[in-house]
Amino acid sequence: MPTVRLLSYNVRSLRDDDDAVARIIRASEPDVVCVQEAPRFLRWRAKNAALARRSGLVIVGGGRLAGANLILSSLAVDVVSTHNVLFTPDPRLHRRGTAIAVLALGGARFAVAGTHLDLFAEPRLRHVGELHAALDRYVPADVPAIIAGDINDVPGSASWQALAAHRADAWVAAGSGEGLTSNPKNPRRRIDAVFADERLPVISAEVIDTPDVVRASDHYPLLVEVGLS
């Protein structure tokens, strides 16, 4: 069975130490990276391209057109299709969205959806429904999908339960310990997660904790390995 190494990482628009971000990604040796808070303002395309290049990866899709969610991959991954989706807006709140890609690795097709949900409960839960609708629209039923991102909420919440309704919380399936991801200077909450389709076995889940992490962003990156059926 082929496996995919997926890294989910909120990089805080590269406002901290972008060299450290690139080092963390390279050292994780991922097949796919779902980036939240990718650069989305001045020269955002060039900044995202530079991050991909320095991380030893290529851009699959996303960026500003997907609410600052970016998908990167290694050259071993084939891209079947990509879709940038913006969720319904709310006054005075950041525009949220998702970057969706149907991919193939080792002869197996799968999909990923990277997202960053809202700080407020009502739009956050509404956007989970819109995320599921987008997956139904763009991903064939026979292709298992993985959701990865900054949930801005904790396990047991309504949004978390909606995401985990038909997908396995990778940390519960294969992680060890509390899995706290926010923030590296004072870790107290698990708000970043990967949810794998029930058809895909979760092999491992690890919160990356190296000296670079504190310098790089206000989130720990989450690395998950999933089997592809």
Side-chain angles (χ1 to χ4, degrees):
M1 178 186 297
T3 62
V4 58
R5 289 171 61 84
L6 185 147
L7 185 73
S8 182
Y9 196 8
N10 183 324
V11 301
R12 214 170 85 95
S13 298
L14 300 180
R15 292 198 301 268
D16 298 304
D17 187 333
D18 54 351
D19 289 329
V21 170
R23 287 195 298 268
I24 290 166
I25 294 175
R26 290 182 71 95
S28 300
E29 298 182 331
D31 299 299
V32 178
V33 183
C34 291
V35 177
Q36 302 91 50
E37 289 194 41
R40 61 175 173 176
F41 295 117
L42 183 65
R43 299 181 62 248
W44 65 272
R45 286 185 175 87
K47 292 175 181 177
N48 287 335
L51 174 62
R53 182 176 62 252
R54 292 161 63 195
S55 301
L57 303 171
V58 296
I59 290 179
V60 172
R64 180 173 180 170
L65 303 178
N69 294 287
L70 180 69
I71 300 177
L72 309 176
S73 81
S74 72
L75 292 176
V77 176
D78 294 321
V79 180
V80 178
S81 65
T82 63
H83 308 276
N84 300 323
V85 178
L86 289 173
F87 299 147
T88 51
D90 294 88
R92 298 180 296 278
L93 297 181
H94 288 299
R95 191 71 187 270
R96 304 292 179 171
T98 180
I100 297 174
V102 178
L103 308 169
L105 179 65
R109 286 203 304 169
F110 64 102
V112 297
T115 194
H116 183 189
L117 299 179
D118 206 85
L119 289 166
F120 295 92
E122 190 280 327
R124 183 167 59 236
L125 185 57
R126 184 178 78 247
H127 292 159
V128 172
E130 294 176 23
L131 170 59
H132 287 151
L135 286 169
D136 289 342
R137 184 181 310 123
Y138 295 119
V139 178
D142 63 338
V143 175
I146 302 167
I147 296 172
D150 178 352
I151 310 307
N152 262 327
D153 213 340
V154 294
S157 66
S159 296
W160 201 283
Q161 290 177 329
L163 287 164
H166 301 291
R167 291 179 171 85
D169 179 339
W171 190 261
V172 172
S176 177
E178 295 181 283
L180 305 179
T181 60
S182 179
N183 64 55
K185 293 181 180 178
N186 184 23
R188 293 184 298 173
R189 299 191 300 162
R190 183 162 79 94
I191 64 172
D192 301 86
V194 171
F195 299 92
D197 188 290
E198 294 173 341
R199 292 169 286 183
L200 303 178
V202 181
I203 298 169
S204 66
E206 175 188 3
V207 173
I208 303 298
D209 187 8
T210 67
D212 269 334
V213 169
V214 175
R215 295 190 288 267
S217 176
D218 61 348
H219 285 249
Y220 287 97
L222 175 62
L223 179 63
V224 172
E225 187 175 13
V226 175
L228 300 176
S229 56

